[in-house]
Amino acid sequence: MSKTIGFIGLGIMGKPMAKNLLKAGYSLNVCDLVQAAVDEVVACGAKAYPNAKEVAQNSEIIITMLPNSPHVKTVILGENGVLEGMKPGTIVVDMSSIDPTVSIEIEKEVAKKGGFMLDAPVSGGEPKAIDGTLSIMVGGDEEKFNEVKDMLLKMGDSAVLVGKIGSGNTCKLANQIIVAMNIAGMCEAMVLATKCGVDPERVFQAIKGGLAGSTVLNAKMPMVLERNFNPGFRIELHIKDLNNAMAAAKAVGMEIPLTGEILEMMKALDGKGEGKNDHCGLIHYYEDKEGVEVKRLS
Ligand code: NAD
């Protein structure tokens, strides 16, 4: 019989991921601060508990999918948190994107209680969370990774053990730098084309099969053309990731100037109240300066 899973954090990503586990036949115990999200997953067969402690008391594997390091600390180490209810032998799989040093810190506390922890952030965004085709990057013990790999592959189509605890999140920082640069490149290029009087949709059609083509371009350019900035992945979450990347670079004495530049652009938009837009909303940074709009002309 498959193990009972506790799933904490049913937001844009967590909700479809939890639903895919239910569809695959797992028993799921859930909690979230948002009652509507809990109700939706309960309607698909999950059991709700009022807090992380009670979820942990009734589960053998715990998945967390929360916004950032402080939320993960609260849910795992805090009052009525996972550690208070967790049985020895429990595997905690934190799938949030957080500071790798915090993953290392939390793992030590989980180990003191006889549990195991993996950091397993994901890439692919909401569409791939819904399809169950996320890319999952994992840090931690190989034996524990092998124990949960089949379960991870119900939410993703790849799960790669990158290294020891914290490595999953270091890998995710690399991922987020590359995504940010793809988006910024797309925005800069498409605003330039528009300002030069060329139809941005035709530019997209012309280049998407060439070397400039990318998953980012295919996912985000249609959103820009439709002027749809609903997240997806919020600018404020990307700011969090790039801040974590800057801290990781500082810790090893490296400069990451391109990341710093895009971080400042995103912060400027956040300061104007646009932090809850999808990260393709970075286009506004250029559009506002240049007085053009990248949109479908026909
Ligand atoms: P979200 O804000 O939509 O969801 C987070 C959920 O956590 C919310 O439902 C919130 O109520 C819940 N939560 C917060 N504190 C809690 C607590 N103390 N107890 C219980 N529940 C609590 O965020 P998201 O977009 O689902 O992202 C989650 C993580 O995944 C983030 O680290 C993000 O960077 C990462 N991520 C997001 C995407 C994306 O496209 N949205 C893609 C890849 C990775």
Side-chain angles (χ1 to χ4, degrees), residues 24-167:
Y26 286 97
S27 300
L28 226 63
N29 298 319
V30 299
C31 80
D32 193 287
L33 304 176
V34 178
Q35 191 56 42
V38 173
D39 292 346
E40 200 178 319
V41 180
V42 167
C44 298
K47 191 163 180 202
Y49 287 92
N51 55 47
K53 177 183 173 181
E54 289 188 41
V55 168
Q57 279 169 339
N58 293 285
S59 310
E60 292 148 295
I61 296 172
I62 310 288
I63 295 176
T64 45
M65 192 52 171
L66 299 156
N68 196 6
S69 311
H71 308 85
V72 180
K73 273 187 162 181
T74 303
V75 163
I76 299 182
L77 310 179
E79 199 184 337
N80 285 324
V82 169
L83 280 198
E84 287 186 9
M86 189 187 85
K87 291 170 276 194
T90 300
I91 306 177
V92 178
V93 186
D94 178 36
M95 302 191 75
S96 329
S97 307
I98 68 169
D99 181 339
T101 62
V102 175
S103 304
I104 294 167
E105 193 185 321
I106 298 174
E107 190 272 341
K108 288 197 179 108
E109 299 307 313
V110 171
K112 278 184 202 160
K113 294 261 176 170
F116 304 93
M117 176 161 159
L118 302 167
D119 59 318
V122 307
S123 179
E126 188 185 21
K128 286 180 179 259
I130 292 170
D131 292 352
T133 57
L134 291 164
S135 297
I136 306 174
M137 41 212 109
V138 188
D141 177 70
E142 187 167 7
E143 199 185 310
K144 294 300 150 191
F145 168 69
N146 287 330
E147 280 181 40
V148 299
K149 191 173 178 191
D150 282 350
M151 177 203 70
L152 293 175
L153 291 175
K154 300 292 185 289
M155 298 177 280
D157 61 10
S158 81
V160 175
L161 183 68
V162 183
K164 58 187 194 300
I165 186 75
S167 307

Side-chain angles (χ1 to χ4, degrees), residues 122-274:
V122 307
S123 179
E126 188 185 21
K128 286 180 179 259
I130 292 170
D131 292 352
T133 57
L134 291 164
S135 297
I136 306 174
M137 41 212 109
V138 188
D141 177 70
E142 187 167 7
E143 199 185 310
K144 294 300 150 191
F145 168 69
N146 287 330
E147 280 181 40
V148 299
K149 191 173 178 191
D150 282 350
M151 177 203 70
L152 293 175
L153 291 175
K154 300 292 185 289
M155 298 177 280
D157 61 10
S158 81
V160 175
L161 183 68
V162 183
K164 58 187 194 300
I165 186 75
S167 307
N169 272 308
T170 301
C171 181
K172 175 68 183 179
L173 294 181
N175 181 86
Q176 291 307 80
I177 290 173
I178 294 170
V179 170
M181 289 188 191
N182 269 272
I183 290 180
M186 174 190 87
C187 295
E188 193 164 295
M190 291 301 180
V191 170
L192 174 66
T194 305
K195 194 142 183 169
C196 292
V198 177
D199 180 347
E201 183 165 24
R202 292 196 186 203
V203 174
F204 173 49
Q205 294 304 338
I207 70 174
K208 69 180 185 183
L211 196 54
S214 68
T215 307
V216 164
L217 194 70
N218 288 341
K220 300 301 176 183
M221 195 54 200
M223 289 177 72
V224 170
L225 291 169
E226 285 154 22
R227 311 306 291 169
N228 169 17
F229 300 111
N230 294 329
F233 189 70
R234 298 191 297 274
I235 287 173
E236 62 187 17
L237 284 179
H238 215 145
I239 290 173
K240 172 258 308 183
D241 290 333
L242 297 187
N243 273 325
N244 286 340
M246 297 297 284
K250 192 171 172 205
V252 293
M254 181 183 167
E255 284 183 16
I256 46 172
L258 298 178
T259 303
E261 190 78 18
I262 299 168
L263 176 58
E264 290 311 312
M265 292 178 190
M266 288 188 176
K267 280 187 185 166
L269 291 174
D270 192 33
K272 288 162 79 179
E274 297 187 26

